[in-house]
């Protein structure tokens, strides 16, 4: 082999290596019995087991009774192999949307065959590869995306729309998709209004944008809590973790805490309980 042939062979090897990096071999399914939950990661594609899920018991979620019952019923039916819907949990920040998804998974996963898989928003374009990996497995899977939304010029929503119930292959029978979002239609309002005002056919352009949320059979709304619900959340946490405090002191300190934060929500209530437990020397058991 002369120098020219050697250089050509080396160049071909480099091209082949580059193509392999761009198109990695399909990921192999992990041992789904090793954990209750996994994280979907790319480059390379893989499912990372989560030894202990960070979650709160479903009984501690206050003020979301209707959403809790609906989501739990849907999740249990799916775990039992019955028809169920994709779910969009939307609304106010800090009101327990993602906590409810994880708590419902724990309640429905009594036989250990319902697996929770979290996918990050930026990895949505790879969701078809994740579904190909799960298709045909004998377990049931909740694919969960927290804080899902799409901004102007973001075309990732088309990848999700295609796999939820469209496309040739469709969504595998053993997979449901749960998502949380602060936006009911997953798009900012000004983006939808801009489509409506600039398109030749405004109604069709708007339909293209909002049709993604229509792929979710269940919409569960979460709204800001009032002070009574906020205090009830704190009382529930204090009782569950053994924090002794009289009602008058709890009320005064909790109200002052939320005033300094300028908000009331389940997240603010939990942050107050963490502060209260620390000041009183109470160790909070890991949630999960």
């Amino acid at each position: 082999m002369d120098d020219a042939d050697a250089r050509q062979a080396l160049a071909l090897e480099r091209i082949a290596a580059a193509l392999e990096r761009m198109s990695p071999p399909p990921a192999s399914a992990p041992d789904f019995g090793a954990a209750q939950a996994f994280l979907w990661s790319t480059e390379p594609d893989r499912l990372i087991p989560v030894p202990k899920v960070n979650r709160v018991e479903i009984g501690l979620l206050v003020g979301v009774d209707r959403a809790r019952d609906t989501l739990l019923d849907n999740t249990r039916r799916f775990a039992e192999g019955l028809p169920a819907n994709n779910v969009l949990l939307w609304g106010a920040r800090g009101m327990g949307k993602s906590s409810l998804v994880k708590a419902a998974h724990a309640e429905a996963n009594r036989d250990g065959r319902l697996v929770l898989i979290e996918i990050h928003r930026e990895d949505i374009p790879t969701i078809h590869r994740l579904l190909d990996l799960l298709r045909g497995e004998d377990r049931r899977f909740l694919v969960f995306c927290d804080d899902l939304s799409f901004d102007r010029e973001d075309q990732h929503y088309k990848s999700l729309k295609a796999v939820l119930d469209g496309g040739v292959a469709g969504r595998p029978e053993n997979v449901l998709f749960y998502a949380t979002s602060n936006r009911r239609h997953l798009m900012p309002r000004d983006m939808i209004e801009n489509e409506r005002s600039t398109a030749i056919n405004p109604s069709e352009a708007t339909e293209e944008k909002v049709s993604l949320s229509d792929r979710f059979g269940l919409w569960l709304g979460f709204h800001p809590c009032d002070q009574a619900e906020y205090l009830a959340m704190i009382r529930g946490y204090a009782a569950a973790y053994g924090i002794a405090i009289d009602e008058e002191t709890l009320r005064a300190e909790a109200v002052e805490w939320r005033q300094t934060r300028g908000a009331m929500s389940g997240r603010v209530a939990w942050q107050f309980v963490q502060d209260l437990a620390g000041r009183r020397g109470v160790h909070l058991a890991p949630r999960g």
Side-chain angles (χ1 to χ4, degrees):
M1 179 182 296
D2 57 26
D3 290 346
D5 290 339
R7 287 195 297 271
Q8 185 178 29
L10 181 59
L12 290 173
E13 289 178 4
R14 289 175 176 171
I15 292 172
L19 289 173
E20 186 174 344
R21 289 194 297 271
M22 292 172 62
S23 301
S28 57
D31 175 11
F32 287 118
Q36 296 181 5
F38 293 79
L39 296 176
W40 172 246
S41 182
T42 60
E43 298 183 2
D45 291 352
R46 64 196 186 280
L47 284 165
I48 303 172
V50 179
K52 189 171 185 63
V53 179
N54 176 33
R55 59 183 159 210
V56 62
E57 292 182 6
I58 201 165
L60 292 177
L61 297 176
V62 174
V64 293
D65 295 11
R66 184 174 181 180
R68 177 199 63 207
D69 294 345
T70 302
L71 185 68
L72 188 53
D73 179 62
N74 190 71
T75 308
R76 281 174 170 161
R77 283 192 279 112
F78 175 67
E80 294 167 2
L82 297 171
N85 277 301
N86 300 312
V87 183
L88 174 63
L89 301 88
W90 67 275
R93 291 180 174 85
M95 283 304 298
K97 298 184 294 294
S98 60
S99 294
L100 184 55
V101 170
K102 291 180 285 187
H105 166 255
E107 287 294 308
N109 188 33
R110 294 306 183 185
D111 64 358
R113 303 194 66 78
L114 181 62
V115 179
L116 182 67
I117 297 178
E118 183 171 5
I119 182 172
H120 295 141
R121 193 205 72 87
E122 58 268 24
D123 291 328
I124 287 296
T126 71
I127 192 171
H128 64 284
R129 302 205 298 265
L130 171 59
L131 297 191
D132 287 343
L133 185 63
L134 305 180
R135 195 184 305 273
E137 290 288 333
D138 62 355
R139 294 178 184 270
R140 315 285 283 175
F141 299 95
L142 290 178
V143 176
F144 168 51
C145 184
D146 192 22
D147 198 19
L148 179 64
S149 64
F150 300 96
D151 296 319
R152 191 180 302 278
E153 308 302 329
D154 190 340
Q155 298 297 309
H156 291 350
Y157 74 93
K158 293 183 178 180
S159 300
L160 180 56
K161 188 168 71 172
V163 300
L164 282 177
D165 65 355
V168 175
R171 172 175 55 85
E173 181 275 335
N174 64 332
V175 176
L176 272 191
F177 189 81
Y178 284 7
T180 70
S181 179
N182 297 323
R183 300 167 178 166
R184 183 175 182 179
H185 290 298
L186 303 174
M187 310 276 183
R189 181 178 296 275
D190 66 334
M191 183 176 177
I192 295 174
E193 292 300 325
N194 182 65
E195 292 289 340
R196 187 178 283 126
S197 64
T198 60
I200 295 174
N201 189 328
S203 62
E204 289 185 1
T206 302
E207 176 67 20
E208 170 70 11
K209 295 298 183 184
V210 303
S211 61
L212 173 58
S213 58
D214 290 341
R215 290 330 199 248
F216 295 88
L218 285 178
W219 289 6
L220 301 179
F222 289 71
H223 307 286
C225 64
D226 58 25
Q227 183 161 293
E229 290 172 328
Y230 168 71
L231 292 173
M233 294 172 189
I234 293 173
R235 292 189 196 99
Y237 282 132
Y241 294 110
I243 305 173
I245 182 171
D246 64 89
E247 177 63 23
E248 184 178 350
T249 303
L250 180 147
R251 182 183 181 87
E253 293 187 2
V255 169
E256 181 182 6
W257 181 271
R258 67 95 171 166
Q259 288 173 338
T260 63
R261 296 299 305 272
M264 286 187 296
S265 68
R267 181 178 297 128
V268 172
W270 173 246
Q271 290 167 346
F272 169 74
V273 169
Q274 287 181 302
D275 180 77
L276 177 65
R279 288 188 283 108
R280 296 192 170 223
V282 176
H283 293 278
L284 297 179
R287 295 184 294 168

